[in-house]
């Protein structure tokens, strides 16, 4: 019978005592003396024992994480998920949907997709090809693959989280096994996304995963917490770049950062934290019967989204007030149509009912920052950052409307005032090596990042050529940063510029027409390795520009429409066709 020298009372777990007894119990006196001396010596030297795994290491279980992202939120969350998965003994593989091949899906055992929705229910621009393949008839079967989808979106859009929802449905249709229910996140996604990630990692970690399951405390510091800080900047220039006779107002806003600007690169944006129009808030409180509640007024101006009207808002209104007509609007399926072009104030003034502060607050969500492309380079300007902001103003349903952030900037920010911003990096819209040629297409405020590109290339004495396409309404009143471009053409920072002013000629000319006119040179530049950038309006311009490029390939190289489409798709795969559109 073997001896059991380690008593049950020793400060070890029962299995550890058994293990120790198995070694120490059978050891010879010499071996025991050596072990005692060794441990005593270790303690005396202050060295620590290298912990060994309790069981032989197993290969880590794989987890495939795919993200479809445009402005980086889904990408950041995918990174958070990978980190949490790794801690739990899984082996995550992160794939940008831009680079996704269907074979990576069929090879997956467990799959998470984090997908944002853009445009009007569209996939992020970079994800379009793989998304279409997944949705298309040629998509592979994914029988038995365990999956979960996290959807990012904005309830202000009719097609809320449409892409996440469609991917979730598609993976099921292809035979996948949904093991984590989808969550659709609004702009304030930090907490729900962190919770979902925590749950998903738990569910997707098999009991025999290589590592030990670690409870990741997302509550204390959310996984999706911003990695960059909020900076308070001083406004040192506030200039309307349109002439006083223009229909538009586009503000050049120069910000100065005491103690250093955020470490931005050309192509990055700043998230700007706006405040609401006090006049609008007063009107809203009046129709809600809450005039005089100064605390609520201050809170609404500073931190609540008091304009957006979503289906969710209408449902909350119907539930909390019991308003018959609003209930009927929902029951008859007309609410979706009714909210188009309307704001919260329309709901309350059209269907008035007594509201208290709590009920009104429950109809709002936190006020989200707005992104603006940085129009300057730190290499040329040091601790400044410039933004170019077009005031959004229009009329709908008989009411004059003003965009929250752009009018906060245009109407209420002044030189000498202060504003809060946060860096929003975009490594997918960066300059190439300085000897490469670049072609930049940026009508309207889409010109902003290209001012940063040109400044950066001047400061870096880049040898690659730069060609800019700009467009707006009129040459005389809307030529944004005209003097900068003239100077850049003179000093060589800009090689070439083409402009399209849509209201200067009887028939409207846009940047895509200029691309077509210059197609021979354009294709020659691209064949020589040039990078092609598009920034600005996503609704029409970006699509028209891409179509013009496909047609240019077809015409100049005598290609079939399919082969010309392939030529542009190749540019996209090579990351030489880059978009930042909104
Ligand atoms: C990465 C990125 C970079 C950007 N860069 C810039 C930039 O450099 N410069 C710039 O000016 N903007 C830029 N934007 C857009 C900017 O973030 C804001 O969306 C824009 O300024 C409007 O914000 P707002 O708060 O003024 O309007 P909001 O209060 O958010 O209202 C805008 C909403 O009003 C509605 N709307 C607008 N016009 C009409 C109309 N004519 N008819 C009916 N409804 C309408 C739409 O629903 C629209 O979504 C960028 C966006 C992104 C995502
Ligand atoms: C121009 C624009 C269009 C958008 N369209 C939609 C939409 O149709 N549906 C939706 O749910 N969200 C929409 N969104 C919101 C984005 O999905 C949301 O901001 C998301 O967090 C972005 O994630 P990403 O950074 O990973 O791209 C839109 C945002 C912008 C700026």
């Amino acid at each position: 019978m073997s001896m059991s020298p380690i008593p049950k009372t020793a400060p070890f777990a029962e299995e550890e005592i058994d293990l120790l007894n198995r070694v120490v119990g059978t050891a010879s006196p010499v071996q025991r003396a050596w072990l005692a001396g060794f441990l005593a010596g270790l303690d005396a030297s202050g060295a620590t024992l290298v912990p060994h795994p309790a069981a032989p290491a197993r290969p880590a279980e794989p987890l495939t994480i795919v993200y479809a992202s445009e402005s980086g939120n889904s990408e950041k969350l995918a990174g958070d998920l990978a980190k949490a998965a790794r801690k739990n003994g899984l082996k995550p593989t992160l794939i940008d949907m831009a680079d996704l091949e269907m074979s990576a899906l069929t090879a997956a055992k467990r799959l998470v997709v984090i997908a944002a929705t853009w445009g009007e229910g569209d996939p992020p621009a970079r994800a379009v090809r793989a998304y279409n393949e997944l949705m298309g008839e040629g998509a592979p079967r994914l029988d038995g693959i365990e999956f979960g989808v996290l959807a990012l979106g904005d309830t202000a859009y009719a097609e809320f989280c449409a892409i996440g929802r469609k991917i979730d449905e598609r993976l099921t249709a292809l035979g996948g096994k949904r093991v984590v229910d989808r969550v659709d996140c609004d702009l304030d996604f930090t907490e729900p996304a962190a919770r979902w990630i925590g749950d998903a990692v738990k569910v997707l970690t098999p009991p025999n995963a290589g590592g030990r399951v670690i409870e990741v405390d997302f509550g204390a510091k959310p996984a999706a917490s911003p990695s960059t800080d909020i900076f308070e900047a001083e406004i040192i220039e506030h200039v309307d770049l349109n002439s006083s006779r223009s229909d538009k107002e586009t503000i050049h806003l120069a910000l100065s950062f005491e103690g250093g600007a955020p470490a931005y690169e050309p192509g990055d944006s700043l998230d700007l934290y706006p405040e609401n129009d006090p006049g609008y808030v007063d009107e809203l409180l009046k129709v809600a019967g809450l005039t005089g509640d100064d605390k609520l007024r201050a809170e609404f101006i500073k931190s609540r989204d008091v304009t957006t009207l979503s289906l969710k808002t209408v449902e909350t209104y119907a539930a909390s007030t019991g308003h018959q007509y609003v209930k009927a609007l929902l029951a008859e399926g007309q609410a979706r149509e009714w909210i188009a072009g309307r704001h919260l104030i329309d709901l309350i003034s059209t269907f008035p009912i007594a509201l208290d502060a709590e009920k009104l607050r429950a109809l709002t969500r936190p006020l989200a920052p707005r992104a603006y492309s940085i129009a300057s380079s730190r290499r040329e300007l040091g601790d400044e950052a410039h933004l170019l902001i077009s005031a959004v103003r229009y009329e709908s349903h008989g009411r004059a409307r003003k965009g929250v952030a752009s009018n906060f900037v245009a109407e209420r920010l002044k030189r000498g005032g202060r504003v809060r911003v946060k860096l929003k990096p975009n490594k997918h819209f960066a300059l190439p090596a300085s000897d490469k040629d670049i072609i930049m297409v940026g009508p309207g405020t889409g010109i902003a990042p290209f001012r940063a590109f040109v400044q950066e290339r001047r400061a870096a004495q880049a040898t690659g050529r730069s060609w800019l396409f700009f467009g707006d309404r009129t040459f005389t009143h809307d030529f944004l940063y005209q003097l900068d471009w003239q100077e850049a053409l003179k000093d060589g920072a800009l090689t070439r510029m083409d402009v399209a002013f849509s209201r200067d000629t009887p028939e409207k000319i846009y940047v895509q027409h200029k691309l077509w006119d210059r197609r021979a040179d354009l294709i020659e530049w691209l064949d020589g390795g040039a990078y092609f950038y598009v920034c600005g309006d996503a609704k029409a311009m970006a699509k028209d520009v891409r179509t013009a490029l496909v047609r240019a390939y077809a015409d100049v190289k005598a290609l079939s429409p399919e082969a010309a489409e392939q030529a542009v798709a190749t540019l996209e795969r090579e990351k030489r066709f880059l978009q930042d559109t909104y």
Side-chain angles (χ1 to χ4, degrees), residues 60-321:
E61 290 283 340
L63 172 68
T64 304
I65 304 169
V66 175
Y67 56 89
S69 188
E70 183 139 344
S71 62
N73 296 334
S74 309
E75 184 171 5
K76 164 82 171 60
L77 292 173
D80 290 344
L81 172 62
K83 213 184 289 170
R86 211 169 288 120
K87 275 191 181 164
N88 271 16
L90 290 165
K91 187 165 174 263
T93 305
L94 268 174
I95 307 177
D96 185 340
M97 202 149 172
D99 307 318
L100 178 68
E101 300 301 341
M102 292 303 112
S103 54
L105 290 185
T106 47
K109 201 168 164 191
R110 293 174 202 85
L111 171 69
V112 168
V113 181
I114 304 185
T117 300
W118 278 75
E120 302 291 333
D122 303 323
R126 297 203 309 277
V128 169
R129 176 202 51 84
Y131 177 81
N132 289 342
E133 282 178 30
L134 182 65
M135 293 294 149
E137 280 176 9
R141 294 290 307 169
L142 300 172
D143 292 304
I145 292 177
E146 295 186 349
F147 78 89
V149 175
L150 179 66
L152 259 61
D154 177 349
T155 48
Y157 288 88
E159 297 297 328
F160 175 54
C161 285
I163 295 305
R165 179 170 42 76
K166 287 182 188 166
I167 291 176
D168 193 28
E169 286 164 5
R170 185 63 175 154
L171 294 177
T172 311
L174 293 172
K177 184 176 160 211
R178 186 190 298 110
V179 292
V180 195
D181 283 340
R182 192 184 78 246
V183 164
D184 294 340
C185 298
D186 202 354
L187 289 183
D188 48 341
F189 58 81
T190 306
E191 277 176 27
R195 252 196 317 276
W196 189 92
I197 288 173
D199 292 346
V201 168
K202 260 189 223 157
V203 173
L204 289 161
T205 304
N208 64 345
R212 192 158 57 91
V213 173
I214 295 166
E215 288 292 331
V216 183
D217 183 5
F218 290 103
K221 189 175 185 300
S225 69
S227 60
T228 38
D229 298 329
I230 294 178
F231 286 71
E232 202 181 81
E234 186 188 335
I235 293 143
I236 53 170
E237 279 172 339
H238 183 286
V239 183
D240 179 6
L241 296 188
N242 298 104
S243 88
S244 57
R245 288 176 49 207
S246 170
D247 304 337
K248 292 182 162 188
E249 187 177 355
T250 314
I251 304 298
H252 161 76
L253 192 73
L255 305 176
S256 161
F257 296 84
E258 262 167 46
Y264 70 83
E265 295 295 330
D268 289 349
S269 299
L270 287 182
D271 258 349
L272 184 146
Y273 290 80
E275 287 187 9
N276 285 300
D277 180 354
Y280 173 90
V281 171
D282 286 339
E283 223 186 311
L284 180 72
L285 292 178
K286 193 168 159 203
V287 298
L290 287 164
T291 301
D293 189 336
D294 291 344
K295 210 167 140 243
L296 190 67
R297 180 179 188 269
E299 181 193 346
F300 272 22
I301 290 173
K302 272 205 161 359
S303 57
R304 304 301 297 178
D305 176 350
V306 289
T307 52
T308 297
L309 179 62
S310 66
L311 208 52
K312 204 171 124 209
T313 327
V314 180
E315 285 162 359
T316 309
Y317 195 67
S320 71
T321 65

Side-chain angles (χ1 to χ4, degrees), residues 483-553:
L483 293 180
D484 292 61
W485 308 128
Q486 283 171 349
E487 211 174 290
L489 283 165
K490 219 184 285 168
D491 68 25
L494 193 57
T495 316
R496 193 168 169 175
M497 183 167 187
D498 279 279
V499 290
F501 290 101
S502 60
R503 300 202 178 174
D504 282 349
T505 47
E507 79 212 80
K508 292 196 167 173
I509 294 177
Y510 296 111
V511 282
Q512 58 268 31
H513 301 121
K514 286 289 165 188
L515 289 170
W516 176 250
D517 290 348
R518 308 283 182 253
R519 59 192 178 280
D521 288 354
L522 189 66
I523 300 302
E524 193 197 310
W525 278 52
L526 288 167
D527 279 352
Y531 285 64
F532 189 95
Y533 297 85
V534 190
C535 182
D537 170 55
K539 279 193 195 85
M541 185 276 293
K543 292 184 185 94
D544 292 345
V545 163
R546 195 182 183 286
T547 305
L549 196 55
V550 172
R551 287 185 54 225
Y553 267 106

Side-chain angles (χ1 to χ4, degrees), residues 118 157 269 307 370-373 388-390 392 394 402-407 445 448 580 582:
W118 278 75
Y157 288 88
S269 299
T307 52
R370 308 306 201 255
Y372 294 98
S373 310
L388 180 67
I389 301 179
S390 168
V392 172
Y394 60 98
K402 287 180 178 181
V404 171
S406 57
N407 285 282
T445 53
D580 189 16
Y582 44 85

